[in-house]
Amino acid sequence: MSNPNQKSFPVTWDQFHRDSRALAWRLASLGPFDAVVAIARGGLVPAAIVARELNIRTVETVAAKSYDHQNQSGIKILKEISQPVFELAKQGGKILIVDDLVDTGNTARVVREMLPGAHFATVYAKPKGREMVDTFITEVSQDTWIFFPWDLDVAYVAPISGGTD
C-alpha cells in the first residue's frame, strides 16, 4: 500500500468462503439463473461457490484487467464472453455476473455493457462502484485495500506495542 492513510482489510479463505456463500443465499430467491459469468481472475472463486450453491451448470468467464498490483489503469478485455452465453442472454436466459469486488465500477461498467440484462453480484463493494452492482454482501470504504486470500501468506507480525516477546 503506497498510501499510508489507506486502510487494509485482509480476508482469509474461510471468511471469503462464508461471504461467497452468503452471496449465494442472497441470490437464491432471484433465480434460477441459466449461466454465471465470472470476471477473471477475482470473480473465479466466488462464481464457483455461487454456481455450486445455486446449481448453475453453465459457467463462463470474461477476463478484464484493470489493476497492476495496486494501481488502477484502463480496462482491457483479455478474453471475451463466449457466443453461446450471448445467445442464451438474447433468448431471455437469466445470466448472473460475479466478481469479488466492485471498486470504482469501471470493470463492472464494461462487463455490464456486454450483458445489459444480467444480474451483477459482488462479494464486496466500495461506494464509487456500488451503483453498478445489483447485489453485494459487504461494503468497505473507498480508501480500504482488500487483501484477498490469494494475495496473502502466513507470516509473523510484531506486536502492536512494539515488544518482541
Side-chain angles (χ1 to χ4, degrees):
M1 292 184 338
S2 57
N3 180 352
N5 297 324
Q6 192 173 42
K7 301 173 192 122
S8 68
F9 179 49
V11 178
T12 65
W13 283 110
D14 286 344
Q15 181 178 352
F16 195 65
H17 186 247
R18 279 191 303 274
D19 290 345
S20 297
R21 287 194 77 216
L23 183 62
W25 272 106
R26 194 162 287 173
L27 293 167
S29 64
L30 303 173
F33 293 97
D34 299 301
V36 61
V37 176
I39 299 179
R41 294 175 306 203
L44 292 171
V45 172
I49 293 166
V50 168
R52 178 200 182 266
E53 296 298 333
L54 301 183
N55 196 30
I56 304 169
R57 295 294 180 160
T58 301
V59 179
E60 177 57 89
T61 60
V62 58
K65 183 178 179 185
S66 64
Y67 283 94
D68 180 9
H69 184 53
Q70 292 182 353
N71 301 310
Q72 275 200 304
S73 60
I75 308 302
K76 182 177 181 182
I77 299 299
L78 304 173
K79 182 208 168 271
E80 298 281 342
I81 298 168
S82 71
Q83 200 57 42
V85 171
F86 281 125
E87 291 301 320
L88 185 59
K90 281 185 199 172
Q91 295 167 7
K94 283 187 86 168
I95 310 298
L96 174 64
I97 301 168
V98 175
D99 205 355
D100 56 351
L101 163 73
V102 62
D103 190 327
T104 62
N106 292 339
T107 301
R109 189 171 291 106
V110 169
V111 175
R112 196 179 259 298
E113 287 172 4
M114 294 176 191
L115 291 166
H119 188 91
F120 203 117
T122 62
V123 182
Y124 305 109
K126 291 186 179 182
K128 283 185 182 176
R130 188 179 60 224
E131 70 180 20
M132 294 304 302
V133 298
D134 302 303
T135 304
F136 66 92
I137 294 302
T138 302
E139 184 172 348
V140 296
S141 63
Q142 199 67 43
D143 63 345
T144 297
W145 186 265
I146 301 175
F147 288 97
F148 289 97
W150 49 85
D151 296 325
L152 301 173
D153 195 9
V154 178
Y156 171 79
V157 176
I160 294 171
S161 68
T164 58
D165 56 342

